[in-house]
Amino acid sequence: MPTIPAQPGGQALVPPGRPPAAPSTRRSAFAEGVDRARAAATTEPGRLRIIGAVLAILVVAFGAVTAWQTSERAAAADDVLHRSQPLSSGAADIYRSLADANTAASSAFLAGGQETAASRNRYEKDIRTAAAGLVTAAANAESGSASEETVARLNTLLPEYKGLIERARTYNRQGYPVGGAYLRYANEKMQKEMLPAAEDLYTKENQRLRADYADATPYPWAAIALGVLALAALGWAQHRTYRRTNRVLNHGLVAATAATTVVLLWLVVGHSVARSGLDESYDHGIRSLNVLHEARIASLKARGSENLSLVARGAETVTVDGQTYDAYYYDFDQDMSVLGKGLGEARRLADDRAGTTPVEAAEGNMTVWKQRHGAARAEDENGNFQQALDKVIGAKDSTGACFDGVDSNLAKAIDHEQYEFRQSAGDGRDALSGLAVGAAVLAVLGAAGALAGIGRRLSEYR
């Protein structure tokens, strides 16, 4: 055949009548792999390898998701027990300490030059407690958060309040009436700035506590669904093996099924117990504590108003619905109403005699307090200031003794509910102990068992 000359540019001419050759294409490695897998899946050994891989992946995924979800819930439960609830109680203690310091200061002012060491020590102790609580709150507040701003504001206001109280005490000892004005100014700063800020801090810490409960209590549905899917796949694989071999048991698959079942049961039962304990800690601990803290604060505010009514001696008034009242007597009535409702709710929430008894005792103290306060108010309104003073801060049959009874009984009730909270929350947290690690280990063993069981079948084809 004659040689076909090339055209200029080096391209050879195609002989007449011959079609041009198609350019050669090379398949990708992925496409070739898919073809090999498809071809392998048409044989029993290939299908067994695919089944083994899928079973191992399902069991390992189940263990991994279980470990992840239970770890998150266990951490949240631990935060409830050791972080958010103590911080919430700490915020309530800050509020209570500030209110009690204000009450102690007004009591000391009424005593005049005969201020007792006990009254002074109580005031100083409350101020130290509040300051220490603010340090703890500042250390646990997130940088730039609203809680951090509130703590900083209270840290600024506390020295200002102390300065006003010291001025009031100094002028009072010297017999200057201006001391009463300084005390009222200090009380106004406490009631309108410090206590609202402390209440805001308490509210924020309670929100953090509820968020931790919300993270700790939901069921781990993703892990449960994967566990059910893994068990279904293992059951199908064993049924398939039985139909092809007439062998009832495949030891590897049985071991994988047993490991998966143990993890799934442990997950469901453990989380149910944890959820029950945490729910109980909230229903019979946190709810009661919130009510008791509010009742105790109301009693402190009522006592402060009662004292300041004698300090002001009618200088402060308030108009409500067209009628004018002594401002502090009006505040006292409002606070005692809150106290009564709080004690009734606390008694309803208490689930045992240890919780009910101190609340009932506080209700009895409150009843006597209101009676004695009525007598003291009548003396004050009739111009008998000294007799009214004796009925409020006197050594015998005074309203101060009733207030102390209310406060001490509420403290006992709070201690009891705090103990119940720790017991229930601790039981809930402990129910999740070891579950994450146990799930991971059993999942690895289950996957190994599934691979071993499929490998046993594969060996029959060699």
Side-chain angles (χ1 to χ4, degrees):
M1 179 179 294
T3 302
I4 300 175
Q7 289 184 337
Q11 183 175 3
L13 294 174
V14 179
R18 180 181 298 178
S24 61
T25 57
R26 184 172 181 176
R27 304 186 66 204
S28 66
F30 175 76
E32 292 177 355
V34 170
D35 286 345
R36 285 195 297 268
R38 187 182 294 115
T42 60
T43 65
E44 182 62 13
R47 285 192 287 268
L48 286 173
R49 290 188 181 93
I50 294 173
I51 291 171
V54 171
L55 291 177
I57 291 172
L58 277 176
V59 174
V60 169
F62 169 49
V65 174
T66 297
W68 164 54
Q69 291 197 307
T70 54
S71 294
E72 284 193 336
R73 283 156 177 76
D78 192 69
D79 284 343
V80 165
L81 184 60
H82 292 127
R83 186 179 69 100
S84 51
Q85 197 282 327
L87 289 175
S88 175
S89 289
D93 284 340
I94 291 173
Y95 194 120
R96 187 204 63 78
S97 297
L98 291 174
D100 193 54
N102 200 47
T103 298
S106 60
S107 297
F109 187 92
L110 287 176
Q114 291 75 41
E115 177 186 1
T116 63
S119 177
R120 177 70 178 179
N121 290 338
R122 181 170 182 168
Y123 168 81
E124 295 292 347
K125 180 181 177 181
D126 286 331
I127 293 296
R128 288 194 301 270
T129 300
L134 289 173
V135 170
T136 301
N140 288 277
E142 297 179 359
S143 179
S145 66
S147 294
E148 186 181 49
E149 295 178 5
T150 303
V151 172
R153 177 165 174 75
L154 283 169
N155 275 322
T156 301
L157 291 171
L158 187 59
E160 296 177 5
Y161 172 80
K162 288 176 62 180
L164 291 171
I165 291 297
E166 291 306 319
R167 288 186 183 183
R169 179 178 284 114
T170 299
Y171 287 125
N172 185 48
R173 286 177 177 175
Q174 295 174 359
Y176 295 146
V178 72
Y182 272 107
L183 183 64
R184 292 195 298 274
Y185 185 35
N187 176 73
E188 183 177 357
K189 181 176 287 292
M190 175 66 74
Q191 298 293 341
K192 295 184 177 180
E193 297 183 59
M194 298 178 70
L195 289 183
E199 184 177 10
D200 182 56
L201 179 63
Y202 176 62
T203 300
K204 289 182 172 65
E205 294 300 340
N206 267 344
Q207 290 172 349
R208 186 193 298 195
L209 175 60
R210 286 193 293 270
D212 285 337
Y213 267 105
D215 291 338
T217 53
Y219 274 103
W221 292 115
I224 293 173
L226 270 175
V228 172
L229 181 60
L231 280 179
L234 287 166
W236 172 83
Q238 290 177 84
H239 180 67
R240 183 180 184 277
T241 300
Y242 169 73
R243 290 180 60 187
R244 281 164 172 72
T245 65
N246 287 326
R247 295 170 186 165
V248 177
L249 297 178
N250 178 294
H251 293 165
L253 294 179
V254 169
T257 303
T260 304
T261 302
V262 169
V263 174
L264 184 59
L265 289 175
W266 191 359
L267 172 65
V268 173
V269 174
H271 187 78
S272 296
V273 173
R275 182 187 176 98
S276 175
L278 290 169
D279 285 345
E280 185 175 353
S281 73
Y282 188 87
D283 292 336
H284 300 296
I286 298 301
R287 291 177 62 194
S288 294
L289 284 170
N290 288 341
V291 171
L292 289 169
H293 281 309
E294 291 170 4
R296 196 177 187 189
I297 289 166
S299 72
L300 288 164
K301 292 171 70 175
R303 179 60 177 172
S305 296
E306 184 177 50
N307 290 338
L308 286 166
S309 65
L310 295 180
V311 174
R313 303 186 71 173
E316 300 287 341
T317 59
V318 61
T319 301
V320 180
D321 296 332
Q323 292 188 346
T324 301
Y325 303 92
D326 181 289
Y328 296 114
Y329 280 145
Y330 180 82
D331 289 342
F332 173 86
D333 292 337
Q334 299 301 309
D335 292 330
M336 290 298 279
S337 176
V338 173
L339 174 60
K341 293 177 181 177
L343 290 175
E345 181 67 8
R347 178 164 40 81
R348 186 186 68 81
L349 290 173
D351 59 343
D352 55 16
R353 286 303 304 170
T356 304
T357 299
V359 175
E360 291 177 343
E363 287 181 311
N365 297 139
M366 183 191 69
T367 300
V368 178
W369 184 2
K370 292 170 70 174
Q371 294 171 352
R372 293 180 181 179
H373 172 80
R377 182 183 295 192
E379 294 286 2
D380 184 38
E381 290 174 346
N382 290 329
N384 301 321
F385 177 76
Q386 187 58 48
Q387 287 84 344
L389 186 64
D390 291 340
K391 292 182 181 299
V392 172
I393 63 169
K396 183 179 180 182
D397 295 336
S398 68
T399 60
C402 299
F403 161 73
D404 289 339
V406 170
D407 192 67
S408 63
N409 281 307
L410 285 175
K412 292 177 184 177
I414 288 172
D415 288 342
H416 173 72
E417 298 300 335
Q418 189 76 34
Y419 173 78
E420 286 208 328
F421 160 79
R422 285 194 296 266
Q423 288 289 107
S424 298
D427 291 342
R429 182 205 56 183
D430 292 344
L432 297 174
S433 297
L435 179 52
V437 175
V441 171
L442 287 172
V444 171
L445 293 177
L451 291 175
I454 296 299
R456 177 69 176 173
R457 287 280 295 119
L458 283 171
S459 65
E460 299 172 0
Y461 290 88
R462 294 171 186 163

